[in-house]
Amino acid sequence: MPRDNIPKSSVKKLQQFFTKTLDTNNDGLVNWTDFEAAIESIVSQEDAQKNARLKVLRKRLEQHFQKYFWDLCAVGDANNDGNIDLDEWLDVMNDIISGLKEKNEFPEWYEGLHKALFRANEFLDERAVSKDEFANMLISWDIDESSAEKAYDFITEHGQKKMDYNLFSEFMKKFFLNETPKHPLNLGLD
């Protein structure tokens, strides 16, 4: 399948995103084990057992991630092995980027992942996420702090705009569409 919606300048960034944010055990595949590890890094089982609020948060996160994982497999697991390899993921990204170019929207199933990731964080006010809170969220994705802070400054216009879910979603859209090398939107992944 040709990937005509992914510019050559963005392939490395997307490969790095796959490796750092999805393939948590670095085996070249994304499967449920990777999602379990991501859940554990956001809200540990140990913490959830001690705190009712965290228990509910973890349960919701598990439900959202299970849905996203099975939706991802439904659209991207070309060989039906229960894993998403890099080539399959790039094919999915090609379709997602096509949708972004045409309608400036993520598919509903993919938007759900971003909502779950955003809402799984301990923000003081999720309508006005601070630079430190944003950086901590991206650090949990293996993005370095300096790159996260530069991205925050860019997307919020140095704090002139409040970081809420809508701006975060806009940031993710721009991340996938940006073709400019070394741009803050690339999160240092290029």
Side-chain angles (χ1 to χ4, degrees), residues 22-79:
L22 297 173
D23 183 15
T24 59
N25 62 4
N26 296 311
D27 65 357
L29 302 169
V30 173
N31 51 42
W32 183 242
T33 303
D34 294 297
F35 281 84
E36 287 176 321
I39 292 165
E40 185 66 20
S41 73
I42 295 169
V43 180
S44 74
Q45 185 71 38
E46 182 180 333
D47 289 346
Q49 289 174 347
K50 296 176 190 172
N51 181 304
R53 188 180 54 75
L54 291 179
K55 185 176 184 177
V56 170
L57 179 63
R58 183 180 170 100
K59 187 67 175 166
R60 284 188 190 147
L61 196 57
E62 288 170 347
Q63 291 168 340
H64 288 294
F65 275 26
Q66 282 176 345
K67 181 178 179 349
Y68 170 72
F69 177 70
W70 293 118
D71 287 348
L72 177 61
C73 285
V75 298
D77 187 8
N79 61 4

Side-chain angles (χ1 to χ4, degrees), residues 117-131:
L117 287 170
F118 187 81
R119 293 187 176 135
N121 290 277
E122 293 284 328
F123 299 134
L124 195 55
D125 178 356
E126 70 176 40
R127 294 166 299 174
V129 176
S130 73
K131 184 190 296 190

Side-chain angles (χ1 to χ4, degrees), residues 1 3 6 18 22 28-31 69 72-96 109:
M1 167 199 250
R3 295 186 189 122
I6 301 175
F18 174 88
L22 297 173
L29 302 169
V30 173
N31 51 42
F69 177 70
L72 177 61
C73 285
V75 298
D77 187 8
N79 61 4
N80 296 314
D81 65 352
N83 299 302
I84 301 293
D85 64 30
L86 179 60
D87 283 328
E88 290 170 325
W89 191 77
L90 287 172
D91 289 342
V92 170
M93 286 294 97
N94 187 66
D95 293 344
I96 288 174
W109 67 269

